[in-house]
Amino acid sequence: MTTRRTLLHSAIGGLALAGTGLAGRLAQAALPQGTLDSQRLESLPGKQPLLKRSYRPPNYESPPAAFAQDITPNDQFFVRWHLMNIPQVDAREWRLSIGGDAASNAVEFTLEQLRGEFEPVEVVAVCQCAGNRRGLSEPHVPGVQWGNGAVGNARWRGVRLRDLLARAGLARDAVEIAFAGGDLPALEATPQFVKSIPTWKAVDENTLVAYEMNGAPLPHWNGYPARLVVPGWAATYWTKQVSSIQALGRPLSGFWMSTAYRIPKGKYPLIDRFVSQESDASMPVTEILVNSMITSHSDGQRCAAGRPVVVAGLAWDGGSGIREVEVSIDEGRSWRSAELAPSLGRYSFRGWRYAFTPHARGPQGVMARASSLQGSTQTMELIFNASGYHNNVAQRVALQVV
Ligand SMILES: Nc1nc2c(c(=O)[nH]1)N[C@H]1C(S)=C(S)[C@@H](COP(=O)(O)O)O[C@H]1N2
Ligand SMILES: [Mo]
């Protein structure tokens, strides 16, 4: 554990304020007024201006402009931390230790060893906070009041977690693999952020310990020098600044597993099970639900009667792949297929576009909904849970035809 000495005791040093005017205009209409009043565009060191949701810990979401392409730029990628103290990690001192009671030997790797001793692997995958769009929940729920921007898509490069576990002699009866990062709570009463995933997901060939994002080292705020990449699953499992990996013979307990990131059982069309963490009433979040965004237009935007309008956006799911995106220009009475862009892989954002020509002047709603190859379609009504997870309601923009 080399990083504790270099703790940055304030996560907010070096913040640059960029004013509130633009942020106000980027706001989602249904965010609570307090969230709209307090949000501003701010630059964390090394980042473009992002929408501030909280200061300590640093929670910043991507502005709509970040979704103009299907790969989210590193300097516009959202930032989510639960704890206050985020160390500035020196990669030369950083070590990744792997062991646990369900591994036969404890091993430790430097970043150079990760880069040199294991086969490098790349995957394009969406990293989405389970609480993305929580701020749009009706009724409102507590927690970071995210709009649409607690999600991003990147090309991750690193090593397979299963290759690392093999070097530690993973036991056949390992139930879960647990991860800890370098960040620490401000108060001892706050539990350290430790998460686990079932062994079957840990040894999936797409689950990585990644040291690069879009061809560059991970940004500090996104987990430098290495993080978990668990394609298809909610980002809560994508431990940043990962420093310890433990193979466990029994389920991990603790606040971040037993209390946080859980949903009522049977309410969502999820397929991936995390059986060792299920209780009678609830289960942990697992894969991302099928979802989409309209990125070409925003509410109130004008377009000319009699001229084609090209609506475009992004769609994604938990890894089955996108089957279809449909658009409705009559408030959901009828739907037409959008054209899909080439696929960057089944865990990636998938671009789509749809052209139509409005004739009547006045308000023109445009709705989009995605369906996955696994057979799910976005919902039209929110499936409510008290933590605001898994909001995959079809999006609508209100255009003005002039
Ligand atoms: N060490 C550490 N890793 C973490 C977290 C954290 O608080 N500490 N938060 C998780 C959650 S809930 C999310 S949504 C993602 C956010 O990843 P990003 O900041 O790179 O966008 O990081 C995950 N990994
Ligand atoms: Mo999250």
Side-chain angles (χ1 to χ4, degrees):
M1 209 75 1
T2 57
T3 54
R4 302 285 144 98
R5 270 175 286 138
T6 47
L7 284 187
L8 253 194
H9 279 283
S10 164
I12 59 174
L15 286 180
L17 302 192
T20 55
L22 180 58
R25 272 190 282 131
L26 296 175
Q28 292 293 313
L31 284 175
Q33 193 56 43
T35 302
L36 296 178
D37 291 346
S38 69
Q39 85 176 352
R40 34 166 100 234
L41 278 169
E42 284 181 359
S43 299
L44 290 164
K47 291 276 184 183
Q48 295 291 321
L50 301 177
L51 287 163
K52 187 201 74 172
R53 295 292 174 223
S54 74
Y55 218 51
R56 275 193 100 214
N59 286 309
Y60 289 76
E61 77 175 78
S62 298
F67 304 112
Q69 57 281 309
D70 50 15
I71 294 284
T72 315
N74 290 3
D75 62 4
Q76 289 181 286
F77 211 92
F78 81 104
V79 174
R80 200 275 184 263
W81 292 87
H82 294 79
L83 306 178
M84 306 282 185
N85 294 327
I86 302 157
Q88 204 78 47
V89 177
D90 179 344
R92 288 163 306 182
E93 289 181 34
W94 175 84
R95 298 287 181 278
L96 176 58
S97 55
I98 308 177
D101 59 49
S104 58
N105 43 302
V107 289
E108 200 176 72
F109 298 109
T110 64
L111 188 60
E112 286 212 331
Q113 284 176 298
L114 287 192
R115 286 180 173 274
E117 291 182 17
F118 298 89
E119 182 194 345
V121 182
E122 284 191 353
V123 63
V124 180
V126 169
C127 174
Q128 177 176 248
C129 182
N132 189 31
R133 300 186 184 163
R134 176 188 290 125
L136 308 174
S137 278
E138 295 283 354
H140 288 304
V141 295
V144 180
Q145 296 297 302
W146 299 115
N148 279 296
V151 61
N153 187 44
R155 181 178 297 275
W156 310 94
R157 182 181 176 87
V159 304
R160 290 193 182 96
L161 176 58
R162 73 176 185 201
D163 293 350
L164 298 174
L165 291 169
R167 292 278 286 270
L170 179 66
R172 276 182 197 284
D173 59 357
V175 177
E176 298 179 5
I177 312 296
F179 311 93
D183 45 331
L184 291 173
L187 303 173
E188 277 188 8
T190 310
Q192 202 192 338
F193 190 75
V194 184
K195 297 289 297 188
S196 65
I197 56 176
T199 303
W200 68 263
K201 186 67 177 173
V203 301
D204 184 291
E205 61 175 353
N206 296 299
T207 300
L208 308 183
V209 172
Y211 45 71
E212 273 180 24
M213 178 175 175
N214 297 328
L218 299 175
H220 164 70
W221 302 107
N222 303 104
Y224 180 83
R227 78 175 307 168
L228 255 287
V229 165
V230 190
W233 278 34
T236 182
Y237 301 109
W238 298 40
T239 306
K240 298 188 280 189
Q241 297 187 336
V242 59
S243 54
S244 165
I245 299 179
Q246 304 275 307
L248 305 178
R250 24 185 189 83
L252 179 71
S253 56
F255 176 81
W256 301 110
M257 295 304 297
S258 311
T259 307
Y261 290 104
R262 298 184 68 89
I263 48 174
K265 253 181 159 171
K267 247 188 149 176
Y268 295 90
L270 295 166
I271 290 185
D272 287 353
R273 298 278 301 274
F274 192 167
V275 176
S276 53
Q277 292 286 342
E278 291 181 6
S279 70
D280 289 346
S282 74
M283 55 186 268
V285 297
T286 53
E287 81 264 28
I288 296 168
L289 295 183
V290 64
N291 216 333
S292 67
M293 286 192 261
I294 298 170
T295 58
S296 57
H297 291 78
S298 53
D299 278 339
Q301 200 165 324
R302 288 163 172 241
C303 49
R307 297 259 190 84
V309 177
V310 180
V311 182
L314 300 169
W316 65 99
D317 88 319
S320 74
I322 294 302
R323 180 170 59 81
E324 185 180 31
V325 174
E326 297 164 291
V327 173
S328 173
I329 54 172
D330 59 8
E331 304 305 342
R333 281 187 291 278
S334 66
W335 297 86
R336 293 286 177 81
S337 278
E339 185 189 327
L340 295 180
S343 170
L344 298 176
R346 62 195 173 99
Y347 297 108
S348 169
F349 277 159
R350 183 94 186 252
W352 57 265
R353 66 204 288 275
Y354 179 79
F356 73 100
T357 303
H359 293 289
R361 290 187 167 75
Q364 170 68 65
V366 178
M367 295 163 75
R369 69 175 186 201
S371 299
S372 69
L373 287 167
Q374 170 261 94
S376 291
T377 299
Q378 285 181 253
T379 55
M380 303 306 291
E381 300 277 340
L382 181 70
I383 306 175
F384 182 82
N385 68 85
S387 306
Y389 299 136
H390 284 324
N391 182 330
N392 74 333
V393 178
Q395 302 290 286
R396 175 182 187 275
V397 293
L399 306 181
Q400 194 62 34
V401 181
V402 293

